[in-house]
Amino acid sequence: MNILSRRSTLRGAAAFTLAAAAPLAAGFGATRTVLAAAPISRMDLPWWRKRHEEKLKELADTQPTLIFLGDSITENWEKSGPPDWQEFQQAWKRFYGDRKAVNLGFKGDTTASLLWRIRNGEVANIKPKVAVVLIGANNFGRVHWDAEETVQGIDAIIGELRKRLPDTKILLLGVLPSDRSPWVTEQTATINKALARNYKSVPMVTYLDLTPIFMKGNTLNRSLFYDPLLSPPEAPLHPTAQGQALMSQTMEPVLSAMLGDRPHG
Protein backbone atom coordinates (compact mmCIF):
# COMPACT_ATOMS: atom_id res chain seq x y z
CA MET A 1 0.00 0.00 0.00
CA ASN A 2 1.55 3.35 -1.00
CA ILE A 3 1.27 6.13 1.57
CA LEU A 4 0.67 9.53 0.01
CA SER A 5 0.87 12.98 1.50
CA ARG A 6 -2.02 14.55 3.35
CA ARG A 7 -2.68 16.74 0.30
CA SER A 8 -3.64 13.68 -1.72
CA THR A 9 -6.42 12.61 0.64
CA LEU A 10 -9.25 14.22 -1.30
CA ARG A 11 -7.74 13.31 -4.66
CA GLY A 12 -7.51 9.65 -3.61
CA ALA A 13 -11.02 9.61 -2.24
CA ALA A 14 -12.35 11.22 -5.42
CA ALA A 15 -11.83 7.89 -7.18
CA PHE A 16 -14.83 6.64 -5.22
CA THR A 17 -18.46 7.70 -5.42
CA LEU A 18 -19.37 9.72 -2.35
CA ALA A 19 -22.80 8.46 -1.36
CA ALA A 20 -23.32 10.76 1.59
CA ALA A 21 -21.41 13.19 3.76
CA ALA A 22 -20.89 13.24 7.52
CA PRO A 23 -20.38 16.89 8.43
CA LEU A 24 -18.67 17.47 11.74
CA ALA A 25 -17.97 20.68 13.61
CA ALA A 26 -14.55 22.14 12.90
CA GLY A 27 -13.90 25.62 14.21
CA PHE A 28 -16.22 28.59 14.37
CA GLY A 29 -19.37 27.17 12.83
CA ALA A 30 -17.48 25.62 9.91
CA THR A 31 -17.99 22.01 8.90
CA ARG A 32 -15.78 19.45 7.26
CA THR A 33 -16.48 16.01 5.88
CA VAL A 34 -14.60 13.19 7.55
CA LEU A 35 -14.46 10.82 4.60
CA ALA A 36 -13.56 7.84 6.79
CA ALA A 37 -16.99 8.19 8.43
CA ALA A 38 -18.94 8.85 5.21
CA PRO A 39 -20.41 6.01 3.09
CA ILE A 40 -18.35 5.71 -0.09
CA SER A 41 -19.32 3.28 -2.84
CA ARG A 42 -16.95 1.23 -4.98
CA MET A 43 -19.71 0.08 -7.34
CA ASP A 44 -17.71 1.47 -10.27
CA LEU A 45 -15.43 -1.59 -9.88
CA PRO A 46 -17.06 -4.54 -11.68
CA TRP A 47 -15.62 -7.22 -9.34
CA TRP A 48 -16.69 -5.27 -6.26
CA ARG A 49 -20.22 -4.74 -7.59
CA LYS A 50 -20.46 -8.45 -8.50
CA ARG A 51 -19.29 -9.53 -5.04
CA HIS A 52 -21.75 -7.15 -3.35
CA GLU A 53 -24.63 -8.56 -5.41
CA GLU A 54 -23.55 -12.16 -4.75
CA LYS A 55 -23.28 -11.50 -1.02
CA LEU A 56 -26.78 -10.01 -0.90
CA LYS A 57 -28.10 -13.26 -2.40
CA GLU A 58 -26.00 -15.40 -0.04
CA LEU A 59 -27.30 -13.47 2.96
CA ALA A 60 -30.90 -13.92 1.84
CA ASP A 61 -30.39 -17.64 1.24
CA THR A 62 -28.42 -18.33 4.43
CA GLN A 63 -30.09 -16.12 7.04
CA PRO A 64 -26.79 -16.20 8.95
CA THR A 65 -26.19 -16.63 12.64
CA LEU A 66 -22.72 -15.10 12.31
CA ILE A 67 -21.35 -12.47 9.92
CA PHE A 68 -17.81 -11.19 9.38
CA LEU A 69 -17.46 -7.61 8.12
CA GLY A 70 -14.10 -6.38 6.88
CA ASP A 71 -11.52 -6.02 4.13
CA SER A 72 -9.10 -8.43 2.41
CA ILE A 73 -7.99 -9.98 5.69
CA THR A 74 -11.57 -11.13 6.25
CA GLU A 75 -12.10 -12.04 2.57
CA ASN A 76 -9.02 -14.27 2.73
CA TRP A 77 -11.03 -16.84 4.72
CA GLU A 78 -12.46 -17.88 1.33
CA LYS A 79 -9.04 -18.77 -0.11
CA SER A 80 -7.74 -22.31 -0.37
CA GLY A 81 -4.11 -23.36 -0.94
CA PRO A 82 -1.67 -24.64 -1.96
CA PRO A 83 0.62 -23.25 -0.74
CA ASP A 84 -0.20 -24.04 2.88
CA TRP A 85 0.05 -20.41 3.94
CA GLN A 86 -2.99 -19.78 1.77
CA GLU A 87 -5.10 -22.67 3.08
CA PHE A 88 -7.56 -20.47 4.99
CA GLN A 89 -10.70 -22.54 4.44
CA GLN A 90 -9.59 -25.34 6.73
CA ALA A 91 -9.73 -23.10 9.82
CA TRP A 92 -12.89 -21.36 8.56
CA LYS A 93 -14.68 -24.70 8.28
CA ARG A 94 -13.39 -25.86 11.67
CA PHE A 95 -14.45 -22.77 13.56
CA TYR A 96 -17.38 -21.41 11.55
CA GLY A 97 -18.59 -24.13 9.16
CA ASP A 98 -21.54 -25.20 11.33
CA ARG A 99 -22.44 -21.71 12.53
CA LYS A 100 -24.24 -20.39 9.43
CA ALA A 101 -21.47 -17.84 8.92
CA VAL A 102 -21.25 -15.41 5.99
CA ASN A 103 -18.00 -13.74 4.97
CA LEU A 104 -18.51 -10.06 4.12
CA GLY A 105 -14.88 -9.16 3.58
CA PHE A 106 -14.03 -7.03 0.52
CA LYS A 107 -10.45 -6.53 -0.64
CA GLY A 108 -9.31 -2.91 -0.40
CA ASP A 109 -12.27 -1.65 1.63
CA THR A 110 -11.83 1.25 4.00
CA THR A 111 -14.19 2.15 6.83
CA ALA A 112 -16.07 4.33 4.33
CA SER A 113 -16.80 1.51 1.89
CA LEU A 114 -17.82 -0.90 4.65
CA LEU A 115 -20.19 1.77 5.93
CA TRP A 116 -21.69 2.06 2.42
CA ARG A 117 -22.23 -1.71 2.24
CA ILE A 118 -23.96 -1.72 5.63
CA ARG A 119 -26.26 1.04 4.47
CA ASN A 120 -26.95 -0.66 1.15
CA GLY A 121 -28.35 -4.05 1.95
CA GLU A 122 -25.66 -6.19 3.58
CA VAL A 123 -27.38 -6.22 6.96
CA ALA A 124 -30.95 -5.88 5.71
CA ASN A 125 -33.53 -8.53 6.57
CA ILE A 126 -31.13 -10.65 8.62
CA LYS A 127 -30.85 -11.27 12.36
CA PRO A 128 -27.41 -12.71 13.15
CA LYS A 129 -26.51 -13.39 16.75
CA VAL A 130 -23.01 -11.93 16.30
CA ALA A 131 -21.25 -9.61 13.85
CA VAL A 132 -17.43 -9.67 13.84
CA VAL A 133 -15.89 -6.39 12.61
CA LEU A 134 -12.26 -6.02 11.48
CA ILE A 135 -11.62 -2.84 9.50
CA GLY A 136 -9.25 0.10 9.25
CA ALA A 137 -5.99 -1.18 7.75
CA ASN A 138 -6.73 0.27 4.30
CA ASN A 139 -7.40 3.71 5.76
CA PHE A 140 -3.62 4.05 5.99
CA GLY A 141 -3.12 3.36 2.29
CA ARG A 142 -3.55 5.79 -0.57
CA VAL A 143 -6.37 7.70 1.12
CA HIS A 144 -4.01 8.25 4.10
CA TRP A 145 -6.62 8.72 6.81
CA ASP A 146 -5.12 8.97 10.27
CA ALA A 147 -6.09 7.41 13.60
CA GLU A 148 -8.57 10.12 14.58
CA GLU A 149 -10.42 9.86 11.26
CA THR A 150 -10.33 6.07 11.30
CA VAL A 151 -11.76 5.85 14.81
CA GLN A 152 -14.62 8.09 13.67
CA GLY A 153 -15.17 5.71 10.75
CA ILE A 154 -15.24 2.67 13.03
CA ASP A 155 -17.58 4.49 15.42
CA ALA A 156 -19.90 5.21 12.49
CA ILE A 157 -19.88 1.52 11.52
CA ILE A 158 -20.65 0.35 15.04
CA GLY A 159 -23.39 2.95 15.38
CA GLU A 160 -24.95 1.85 12.10
CA LEU A 161 -24.84 -1.82 13.09
CA ARG A 162 -26.42 -1.13 16.47
CA LYS A 163 -29.21 0.81 14.76
CA ARG A 164 -29.89 -1.75 12.02
CA LEU A 165 -29.20 -4.91 14.05
CA PRO A 166 -30.31 -3.98 17.57
CA ASP A 167 -30.38 -7.60 18.78
CA THR A 168 -26.98 -8.54 17.32
CA LYS A 169 -23.89 -8.65 19.50
CA ILE A 170 -20.78 -7.09 17.97
CA LEU A 171 -17.24 -8.43 18.36
CA LEU A 172 -15.04 -5.49 17.38
CA LEU A 173 -11.43 -6.46 16.64
CA GLY A 174 -8.55 -4.04 16.87
CA VAL A 175 -6.63 -3.14 13.70
CA LEU A 176 -3.97 -5.81 13.23
CA PRO A 177 -0.30 -4.86 13.47
CA SER A 178 1.77 -4.57 10.30
CA ASP A 179 5.22 -3.39 9.24
CA ARG A 180 4.45 -0.85 6.54
CA SER A 181 5.96 2.29 8.08
CA PRO A 182 6.59 3.89 11.48
CA TRP A 183 3.60 6.17 10.82
CA VAL A 184 1.26 3.22 10.21
CA THR A 185 2.54 1.44 13.32
CA GLU A 186 1.92 4.56 15.41
CA GLN A 187 -1.56 5.13 13.98
CA THR A 188 -2.51 1.47 14.53
CA ALA A 189 -1.53 1.62 18.20
CA THR A 190 -3.40 4.90 18.65
CA ILE A 191 -6.57 3.47 17.12
CA ASN A 192 -6.51 0.35 19.28
CA LYS A 193 -6.00 2.36 22.46
CA ALA A 194 -8.95 4.56 21.51
CA LEU A 195 -11.19 1.59 20.71
CA ALA A 196 -10.30 -0.12 23.99
CA ARG A 197 -11.28 3.05 25.83
CA ASN A 198 -14.39 3.86 23.78
CA TYR A 199 -15.88 0.35 23.90
CA LYS A 200 -14.97 -0.64 27.42
CA SER A 201 -18.61 -0.69 28.53
CA VAL A 202 -20.83 -0.24 25.47
CA PRO A 203 -23.90 -2.52 25.49
CA MET A 204 -23.82 -5.34 22.94
CA VAL A 205 -20.22 -4.53 21.88
CA THR A 206 -17.12 -6.48 22.93
CA TYR A 207 -13.68 -5.21 21.95
CA LEU A 208 -10.77 -7.61 21.43
CA ASP A 209 -7.20 -6.66 20.45
CA LEU A 210 -5.41 -9.53 18.70
CA THR A 211 -2.06 -7.72 18.49
CA PRO A 212 -0.25 -9.96 21.05
CA ILE A 213 -0.53 -13.10 18.93
CA PHE A 214 1.45 -11.42 16.14
CA MET A 215 4.28 -10.21 18.34
CA LYS A 216 7.52 -11.71 19.63
CA GLY A 217 8.28 -9.45 22.53
CA ASN A 218 8.21 -5.96 21.05
CA THR A 219 8.87 -7.17 17.49
CA LEU A 220 6.39 -8.17 14.81
CA ASN A 221 6.50 -11.90 14.05
CA ARG A 222 6.92 -11.62 10.28
CA SER A 223 6.53 -15.38 9.85
CA LEU A 224 2.78 -15.01 10.50
CA PHE A 225 2.31 -12.77 7.44
CA TYR A 226 2.34 -13.91 3.83
CA ASP A 227 3.24 -10.62 2.11
CA PRO A 228 7.02 -11.24 2.41
CA LEU A 229 6.46 -14.55 0.55
CA LEU A 230 5.01 -12.82 -2.51
CA SER A 231 7.03 -12.08 -5.64
CA PRO A 232 8.12 -9.36 -5.35
CA PRO A 233 7.92 -9.40 -1.54
CA GLU A 234 5.79 -6.81 0.24
CA ALA A 235 5.66 -5.45 3.78
CA PRO A 236 3.87 -7.67 6.34
CA LEU A 237 0.15 -6.84 6.42
CA HIS A 238 -1.96 -9.94 5.71
CA PRO A 239 -1.78 -12.91 8.11
CA THR A 240 -1.01 -16.33 6.73
CA ALA A 241 -3.58 -19.08 7.10
CA GLN A 242 -1.67 -20.11 10.21
CA GLY A 243 -1.87 -16.56 11.54
CA GLN A 244 -5.61 -16.42 11.00
CA ALA A 245 -6.05 -19.81 12.66
CA LEU A 246 -4.38 -18.26 15.71
CA MET A 247 -6.83 -15.38 15.43
CA SER A 248 -9.75 -17.81 15.50
CA GLN A 249 -8.32 -19.70 18.47
CA THR A 250 -7.91 -16.45 20.40
CA MET A 251 -11.38 -15.21 19.47
CA GLU A 252 -13.11 -18.52 20.17
CA PRO A 253 -13.74 -18.27 23.95
CA VAL A 254 -15.28 -14.82 23.48
CA LEU A 255 -17.18 -15.73 20.32
CA SER A 256 -18.66 -18.98 21.65
CA ALA A 257 -19.87 -17.16 24.75
CA MET A 258 -21.49 -14.48 22.59
CA LEU A 259 -23.15 -17.10 20.38
CA GLY A 260 -24.15 -19.27 23.32
CA ASP A 261 -22.87 -22.44 21.68
CA ARG A 262 -20.08 -24.96 22.33
CA PRO A 263 -16.43 -23.91 21.96
CA HIS A 264 -14.93 -24.84 18.59
CA GLY A 265 -11.37 -25.57 17.59
Side-chain angles (χ1 to χ4, degrees), residues 70-81:
D71 50 34
S72 58
I73 295 173
T74 296
E75 184 178 352
N76 280 345
W77 286 117
E78 297 179 354
K79 291 182 178 179
S80 181

Side-chain angles (χ1 to χ4, degrees), residues 44-238:
D44 57 313
L45 301 175
W47 73 264
W48 196 93
R49 181 175 64 252
K50 181 174 182 288
R51 182 170 176 82
H52 174 63
E53 292 168 350
E54 289 174 346
K55 288 300 176 180
L56 293 181
K57 184 178 186 303
E58 182 181 354
L59 288 163
D61 292 344
T62 304
Q63 286 300 304
T65 297
L66 174 63
I67 60 173
F68 286 76
L69 296 149
D71 50 34
S72 58
I73 295 173
T74 296
E75 184 178 352
N76 280 345
W77 286 117
E78 297 179 354
K79 291 182 178 179
S80 181
D84 63 353
W85 52 261
Q86 194 170 270
E87 183 50 66
F88 293 90
Q89 284 193 21
Q90 184 177 355
W92 174 270
K93 291 175 182 177
R94 183 166 82 247
F95 286 97
Y96 315 120
D98 64 347
R99 283 171 159 168
K100 294 181 66 178
V102 171
N103 184 332
L104 298 174
F106 282 57
K107 179 177 66 177
D109 266 15
T110 62
T111 53
S113 295
L114 176 53
L115 185 60
W116 186 92
R117 291 195 280 120
I118 291 169
R119 290 189 179 181
N120 286 271
E122 289 193 10
V123 299
N125 303 313
I126 60 173
K127 294 183 178 180
K129 288 185 177 180
V130 177
V132 179
V133 178
L134 174 59
I135 197 69
N138 290 315
N139 286 28
F140 305 140
R142 65 189 183 91
V143 293
H144 203 62
W145 295 331
D146 65 14
E148 181 181 0
E149 295 166 304
T150 299
V151 169
Q152 291 183 56
I154 294 172
D155 287 346
I157 287 166
I158 299 302
E160 201 72 27
L161 289 174
R162 293 184 71 203
K163 180 175 70 175
R164 294 173 182 269
L165 300 173
D167 298 321
T168 298
K169 297 174 183 176
I170 299 169
L171 178 55
L172 172 61
L173 302 179
V175 177
L176 300 186
S178 63
D179 192 16
R180 290 176 278 172
S181 75
W183 181 82
V184 171
T185 298
E186 177 186 11
Q187 298 305 304
T188 301
T190 300
I191 286 170
N192 290 342
K193 288 178 183 177
L195 295 179
R197 181 178 62 250
N198 293 354
Y199 293 97
K200 185 177 182 180
S201 57
V202 175
M204 304 293 284
V205 182
T206 299
Y207 173 71
L208 181 61
D209 187 357
L210 299 177
T211 297
I213 68 177
F214 293 102
M215 306 298 291
K216 281 186 175 180
N218 295 321
T219 303
L220 190 73
N221 185 353
R222 296 171 65 94
S223 70
L224 292 176
F225 296 85
Y226 68 71
D227 310 84
L229 302 174
L230 300 175
S231 183
E234 298 178 8
L237 170 60
H238 300 87

